[in-house]
Amino acid sequence: MLAANHYERRRFWTLIIIVSISGFSQGMLLPVISVIFETDGVSSTLNGLNATGLYIGTLLISPFIEQPLRRFGYKPIIIVGGAIVFLSLLMFPFWENIMFWFILRLLIGIGDHCLHFSTQTWLTTSAPEGNLGKSMSIYGLSFGVGFAAGPLMLNLVGISETLPFVVSSILCLIAWSFVFFIRNEKPEALKGDNVEANGLSRYKLSFKYAWVAFLPSFVYGVLETSLNALFPVYALRMNFENSMVSMILAAFSIGAIITQIPIGIIGDKIGRRKVILIGIFSGAVLFALGSQLEHSQILVMCIFLVSGMFLGSLFSLGITYMADLTPKQLLPTGNLLCGIFFSLGSLAGPFIGGLYLELVDSISFLLFISIMLFMIYLIILLFGKLTMPKSAPSAD
């Protein structure tokens, strides 16, 4: 019994380390490549389009990843995903070309999604009863810390443009090697050849059970890319200082890190839907308030810090809420859909937000974020109850 518990802890922390390094590589790529392209005179439009490669890669692999996971198990998918990320990072220094780097980002999106899909599903299926929120909040925290640490690689660009990619690839290789020391497992098999075993039917059933749980993932995708890609543009138009813009964005990440585990534990105790509703509504109110405080950069930073405390756990909360609502046999499909909705949000955020900045001059960008959050809040509040959970006590 003690040996089994020790192995489970070792497996859990192995998966957590893999996720944190994956977050680190993603957090490194966005600013490092943007700075290199900007220095080389690449247009901001082309720079932004290049960044979408990561999320396009995620969407491209999504329809094809579930069946191999069910057939071969979690470990082989993690090994393949880690190898793709490691090799792609190592290839960046060989040829600085916009299209080549877009393809590499596409491949990293594919590899990262293999890592996240496998680790998420493995964690949600193996978490102890009543401890899912805590487990997934540690998962979210590890990714968040890695993602927040990634931009520190910008300091290495001044030494050599190749150095961030080399350091990141070495860290990925080290984390990836740990997976060879854990045993492979497979998700629970679907029953027979009935409708649940059919691919399209699995998606329909998962959506029927847990559509409301995919919205937090979508919102988090919109927030992450909108705030990181578009808020700096808006802030500079508002004459914010460059140094303050980076501090404001860092404040959101810090807020998310501070409350990630406490919110996961609270979700275990009072129900995920209540915590999600409180978080999204609070975020909507805070960003609306922030739109009236833009005369003070310090106050805006405080708004971002507190908003991060309420909104930074949305992705992990969405996954655990999905696990509450979905039968165990459909958890791989549910996790896949969480990833798809996150990617859709990540693609939609810069597009819709960019249109808003282009067409609307007189109304704050923070108010746009607030309105979007409030609309999602109303959908979950008014229609979320219609979702039929697999077990009512844990769903809400």
Side-chain angles (χ1 to χ4, degrees):
M1 187 67 176
L2 285 173
N5 289 337
H6 174 73
Y7 170 74
E8 287 174 8
R9 282 196 299 272
R10 182 157 58 87
R11 180 189 61 198
F12 175 79
W13 288 109
T14 297
L15 298 177
I16 293 301
I17 289 168
I18 290 169
V19 167
S20 66
I21 297 300
S22 173
F24 176 82
S25 66
Q26 288 187 36
M28 179 277 293
L29 280 176
L30 285 168
V32 167
I33 293 180
S34 293
V35 167
I36 291 172
F37 279 168
E38 183 67 24
T39 305
D40 292 347
V42 176
S43 73
S44 57
T45 304
L46 204 54
N47 201 334
L49 284 173
N50 197 272
T52 63
L54 195 75
Y55 307 108
I56 293 171
T58 298
L59 289 174
L60 284 176
I61 193 63
S62 291
F64 310 105
I65 195 172
E66 185 184 354
Q67 280 301 101
L69 180 118
R70 289 188 180 277
R71 183 177 177 185
F72 300 111
Y74 304 110
K75 182 175 171 178
I77 305 301
I78 293 174
I79 289 171
V80 170
I84 292 171
V85 173
F86 160 67
L87 292 172
S88 298
L89 286 169
L90 208 55
M91 292 294 288
F92 274 95
F94 284 96
W95 187 24
E96 188 177 326
N97 175 275
I98 293 173
M99 182 53 68
F100 180 61
W101 280 17
F102 177 80
I103 292 169
L104 291 178
R105 277 178 150 178
L106 199 80
L107 289 171
I108 288 175
I110 290 171
D112 268 331
H113 192 55
C114 290
L115 290 174
H116 287 292
F117 175 56
S118 302
T119 51
Q120 279 171 209
T121 309
W122 207 344
L123 288 170
T124 50
T125 53
S126 62
E129 191 70 31
N131 226 13
L132 178 61
K134 182 181 177 182
S135 298
M136 292 310 296
S137 64
I138 295 172
Y139 169 94
L141 176 64
S142 66
F143 180 83
V145 169
F147 193 86
L152 296 175
M153 291 292 103
L154 270 174
N155 299 320
L156 300 181
V157 174
I159 303 171
S160 168
E161 288 186 355
T162 65
L163 204 51
F165 303 109
V166 174
V167 171
S168 186
S169 63
I170 291 170
L171 290 173
C172 281
L173 178 62
I174 292 169
W176 175 68
S177 64
F178 290 147
V179 78
F180 289 95
F181 298 99
I182 56 176
R183 294 190 296 270
N184 187 30
E185 294 176 23
K186 294 182 181 181
E188 285 192 16
L190 295 166
K191 306 291 190 297
D193 296 322
N194 61 21
V195 70
E196 290 185 20
N198 177 272
L200 184 59
S201 297
R202 286 200 308 274
Y203 286 108
K204 287 180 179 177
L205 277 171
S206 297
F207 197 82
K208 176 186 174 184
Y209 277 110
W211 67 268
V212 69
F214 304 139
L215 294 178
S217 298
F218 177 82
V219 170
Y220 191 73
V222 172
L223 276 175
E224 186 178 87
T225 51
S226 295
L227 294 181
N228 284 293
L230 296 175
F231 177 74
V233 176
Y234 173 75
L236 293 175
R237 289 181 186 176
M238 297 293 292
N239 298 316
F240 281 34
E241 296 173 15
N242 278 336
S243 58
M244 279 302 297
V245 173
S246 61
M247 288 174 67
I248 288 168
L249 292 176
F252 186 89
S253 298
I254 291 167
I257 289 168
I258 290 170
T259 57
Q260 190 83 223
I261 293 177
I263 284 179
I265 294 170
I266 292 169
D268 281 333
K269 294 186 181 302
I270 70 170
R272 242 70 70 175
R273 182 172 176 271
K274 291 173 185 174
V275 178
I276 289 168
L277 285 171
I278 292 168
I280 293 178
F281 182 77
S282 301
V285 171
L286 285 163
F287 277 113
L289 179 62
S291 70
Q292 305 303 311
L293 300 174
E294 289 174 349
H295 59 276
S296 169
Q297 297 176 36
I298 296 293
L299 289 176
V300 171
M301 186 171 69
C302 293
I303 289 292
F304 269 64
L305 176 69
V306 182
S307 298
M309 291 179 178
F310 283 102
L311 296 168
S313 302
L314 280 180
F315 185 69
S316 55
L317 279 171
I319 293 170
T320 48
Y321 191 29
M322 176 278 301
D324 287 338
L325 297 168
T326 308
K328 205 163 188 179
Q329 297 91 334
L330 290 171
L331 280 179
T333 313
N335 275 287
L336 186 63
L337 286 169
C338 282
I340 289 173
F341 271 80
F342 171 76
S343 297
L344 290 173
S346 299
L347 289 169
F351 176 72
I352 298 170
L355 279 178
Y356 183 88
L357 285 179
E358 192 174 319
L359 300 174
V360 181
D361 291 325
S362 56
I363 303 175
S364 169
F365 180 70
L366 298 185
L367 198 59
F368 158 75
I369 297 290
S370 174
I371 292 167
M372 182 272 297
L373 288 170
F374 190 66
M375 288 170 62
I376 298 295
Y377 166 79
L378 286 177
I379 292 171
I380 296 174
L381 179 69
L382 298 176
F383 304 107
K385 281 283 190 182
L386 299 177
T387 303
M388 295 299 294
K390 64 176 182 184
S391 56
S394 63
D396 193 353

